[in-house]
Amino acid sequence: MQRGPGNLDLVELPLPDIGPDEALLRVEACGICGTDVEEYSGALFDTIGPTSPFVPGHEPVGRIAAIGARAARRWGIVEGDRVVVEPALPCGACRDCRTGRYVLCAGWDHFPMSYGFIPAKIPPALWGGFADHMYLHANSVVHKVSDAVAPTTAATFNAVAAGVEWAVEVPGTRAGDCVVVLGAGQRGLACVLAARAAGADPVIVTGLASDRHKLDLALELGATAAVEVDGGEADGVNADGGGVPAKVLESTGGVQPDVVIDVAAYDPQTVLDAMTLARPGGTVILAGLKGGRPVPGWISDDVVTKGLRVQGVRAVGHTSFRRAVALINSGEHPLHRLVTHTFGLQDAAEAIETLAGNRPGSRPISVVITPDHTTPDRPTPDQTNPDQAVQE
């Protein structure tokens, strides 16, 4: 339970009685993303307001421990099935929910009503995946996962769904499109995977020299080129007069991309790089938050004269989750390679600090929490780099 910024502790809460429309999830694994880092530090609450104390964790996977009869019929699952749970909890009655945009739902008295953010004062308190059990409200949206998929691999579902949403669904990526992904974090890698699965060719990803292990993994996930940039290009121009766009266009043979997805965090320059790279009539997807920083030197006329479509993305819709789970269930992609670290519940704070990059030498991509009653995946030599840190 989180009681304030940087304040996580283990507590024991009673399991709720399950009614006919509800269920109880026995959590096997829960992924961590950048939002968890901002939640843990307290930065997120500058935007959404305080919600503590609460149980964090909005990327849970587990088995149904108990389920009501009506919930079983509605969700098409039974006790013992492995599922992943979408973070958003729709009210089902507001305009956004009724028009299918339930990720924007604001119909609850408390906002946001999303797993991992709901105050413990709202019964039954077990609203997050950093736990060995999680309550499933009647309005929950769940997806069944194959028993052949390792729980920690299934815990990448939210990142993979973001890749599908941002790199395929929103821009309308088609087979043969040229796609560039700026940023090689877990979401950037998921964008690479999703774009290639949709038939995009070529797919280019950029990353810092310190992200070399991520760029190498991007190639395993289907990237046709991984372009290394350095800190000297933070202003868009490097020492030889080129810059990120020039390096990317060199890898495409001068072909400007149909779609550019900016998933780089905190660097406003990547917005300008995306605008420069996109072909006339192309699409720019803005997904990486810049921490409130303005984009220096941005000229809106460039959007007009190139006829660009510039689209911000927020959260993930149902179709993208469904397609992501299908990708995971297929077993055709080395998604287990995304998971670099696993931690027990007692080390949840260490897990978050690791993903935040506050543990030198750890080189995280995806970090997963596994309750003590499960056995974390143990990477084998063909699953991970020999020097890659793995913690339990």
Side-chain angles (χ1 to χ4, degrees):
M1 181 174 289
Q2 181 165 335
R3 302 186 185 279
N7 184 357
L8 278 178
D9 62 346
L10 282 173
V11 300
E12 187 169 309
L13 300 173
L15 296 178
D17 294 328
I18 297 301
D21 294 299
E22 306 162 317
L24 185 67
L25 184 74
R26 182 176 180 266
V27 180
E28 295 179 294
C30 187
I32 304 176
C33 77
T35 303
D36 293 289
V37 174
E38 293 185 341
E39 188 178 48
Y40 176 70
S41 70
L44 186 67
F45 304 122
D46 294 338
T47 302
I48 68 173
T51 63
S52 57
F54 61 97
V55 180
H58 61 278
E59 301 184 357
V61 55
R63 293 193 181 275
I64 299 297
I67 190 169
R70 287 199 295 261
R73 288 195 298 271
R74 184 172 64 253
W75 294 334
I77 58 177
V78 297
E79 187 174 315
D81 280 347
R82 176 174 287 152
V83 300
V84 297
V85 185
E86 292 189 25
L89 186 59
C91 73
C94 71
R95 184 174 182 272
D96 284 318
C97 283
R98 287 186 284 105
T99 54
R101 298 173 297 189
Y102 59 86
V103 294
L104 302 176
C105 171
W108 299 96
D109 291 338
H110 173 78
F111 179 78
M113 278 295 276
S114 173
Y115 284 107
F117 300 87
I118 302 171
K121 66 182 180 182
I122 301 178
L126 291 169
W127 295 103
F130 288 11
D132 57 15
H133 288 82
M134 191 177 88
Y135 168 71
L136 298 184
H137 186 279
N139 291 6
S140 301
V141 185
V142 303
H143 300 267
K144 189 174 179 180
V145 178
S146 169
D147 288 336
V149 177
T152 47
T153 300
T156 65
F157 76 95
N158 203 18
V160 176
V164 172
E165 181 91 351
W166 303 348
V168 180
E169 289 284 336
V170 174
T173 300
R174 300 168 297 182
D177 278 352
C178 175
V179 173
V180 170
V181 181
L182 302 178
Q186 56 178 245
R187 263 53 178 177
L189 294 172
C191 286
V192 167
L193 171 69
R196 286 295 281 160
D201 188 14
V203 175
I204 295 93
V205 63
T206 69
L208 299 172
S210 58
D211 293 332
R212 188 65 251 176
H213 62 298
K214 299 177 184 178
L215 294 174
D216 291 341
L217 180 54
L219 295 172
E220 292 185 42
L221 294 172
T224 53
V227 178
E228 189 176 300
V229 298
D230 59 51
E233 293 164 330
D235 61 354
V237 178
N238 60 22
D240 61 10
V244 173
K247 282 190 171 184
V248 171
L249 292 176
E250 182 179 349
S251 70
T252 68
V255 175
Q256 289 185 280
D258 302 281
V259 178
V260 184
I261 306 110
D262 175 18
V263 290
Y266 298 112
D267 183 6
Q269 176 60 41
T270 55
V271 176
L272 295 181
D273 291 341
M275 304 285 188
T276 300
L277 277 166
R279 67 166 176 81
T283 297
V284 172
I285 300 296
L286 300 180
L289 292 175
K290 310 306 181 185
R293 297 174 177 85
V295 178
W298 180 65
I299 300 173
S300 62
D301 287 354
D302 293 341
V303 177
V304 177
T305 56
K306 289 183 71 174
L308 295 178
R309 175 192 174 202
V310 181
Q311 175 73 54
V313 289
R314 170 186 169 182
V316 177
H318 179 76
T319 300
S320 296
F321 274 114
R322 188 157 42 82
R323 293 179 66 176
V325 171
L327 283 172
I328 293 170
N329 283 338
S330 74
E332 297 175 357
H333 309 280
L335 288 167
H336 63 280
R337 297 276 282 110
L338 288 172
V339 181
T340 54
H341 299 74
T342 58
F343 292 85
L345 281 176
Q346 72 279 4
D347 297 316
E350 180 75 8
I352 295 171
E353 293 281 5
T354 298
L355 183 65
N358 296 332
R359 296 295 181 264
S362 60
R363 302 204 306 170
I365 298 177
S366 287
V367 177
V368 175
I369 286 181
T370 58
D372 292 342
H373 58 65
T374 64
T375 301
D377 294 342
R378 296 181 180 275
T380 59
D382 63 341
Q383 288 178 318
T384 187
N385 295 326
D387 60 342
Q388 190 174 65
V390 178
Q391 301 180 17
E392 297 176 13

